[in-house]
Amino acid sequence: MRPHHYGALVQRWRAVARTAGVRLRRFAEAGDDPLFYFQTPALAANGGIYISAAIHGDEPASSEALIVWAEKHAHRLARWPLLLFPCLNPWGLRNNVRLDSAGVDLNRAFHLKDQPVIGALKAAVARRRFDLAVMLHEDYDGQGFYLYEIKRTL
């Protein structure tokens, strides 16, 4: 396993997609790297599960955990309503740094209108409402896990 090798990660996702009978779709470019998402046919406009990983390149456990889980369940994935973003920051992953190639912390850039990766991500999820959204991170200094819940008030 090479957790900082984006090309190897994409190849593993291609294999999962073939096994699941699902197409890996390109949604953006980050420098020279294409960014992909995995959307199952069971996903409707409302409901389902959103999972993203590796928005911080120095947190490779997020992308590694997601691909290991997907590989384990590849034959069943198409039946589950999923929208998965395996790696949002390939340059950071490859270079083991939190930021992207422009020095931007993508996780802190959702308010920026001119950030291409975040703009493409927002377009890919536009007009969807998920039952569950999980943004995978890694805290190599921490013990246990963190869980933040954001509830919408109606």
Side-chain angles (χ1 to χ4, degrees):
M1 305 283 175
R2 301 180 301 185
H4 289 284
H5 192 288
Y6 182 65
L9 179 66
V10 171
Q11 289 308 316
R12 291 170 71 188
W13 274 102
R14 288 184 201 278
V16 166
R18 276 191 303 278
T19 300
V22 174
R23 202 171 103 228
L24 199 58
R25 299 177 186 191
R26 183 183 296 212
F27 76 96
E29 302 281 327
D32 294 334
D33 295 309
L35 298 177
F36 299 96
Y37 68 90
F38 179 99
Q39 178 179 329
T40 63
L43 184 69
N46 290 312
I49 300 169
Y50 163 99
I51 303 174
S52 65
I55 197 165
H56 294 136
D58 63 347
E59 299 177 5
S62 63
S63 58
E64 185 63 22
L66 187 57
I67 187 60
V68 167
W69 173 81
E71 288 167 339
K72 182 177 179 181
H73 299 287
H75 292 319
R76 291 178 266 184
L77 290 179
R79 296 191 308 258
W80 298 340
L82 301 170
L83 183 59
L84 310 176
F85 290 84
C87 181
L88 295 174
N89 184 1
W91 186 90
L93 185 72
R94 190 170 29 260
N95 291 283
N96 194 30
V97 296
R98 180 181 178 95
L99 310 176
D100 72 357
S101 62
V104 174
D105 181 340
L106 296 174
N107 200 46
R108 304 283 189 263
F110 278 83
H111 66 288
L112 301 175
K113 303 242 185 271
D114 62 345
Q115 210 304 316
V117 171
I118 298 303
L121 175 63
K122 285 180 176 180
V125 300
R127 296 177 298 282
R128 293 189 175 278
R129 293 186 61 99
F130 297 98
D131 290 328
L132 177 66
V134 179
M135 293 64 135
L136 299 174
H137 289 269
E138 172 185 354
D139 183 351
Y140 40 83
D141 292 328
Q143 298 286 322
F145 69 94
Y146 303 90
L147 175 63
Y148 297 97
E149 180 180 13
I150 301 171
K151 293 181 99 176
R152 241 179 240 207
T153 57
L154 300 176

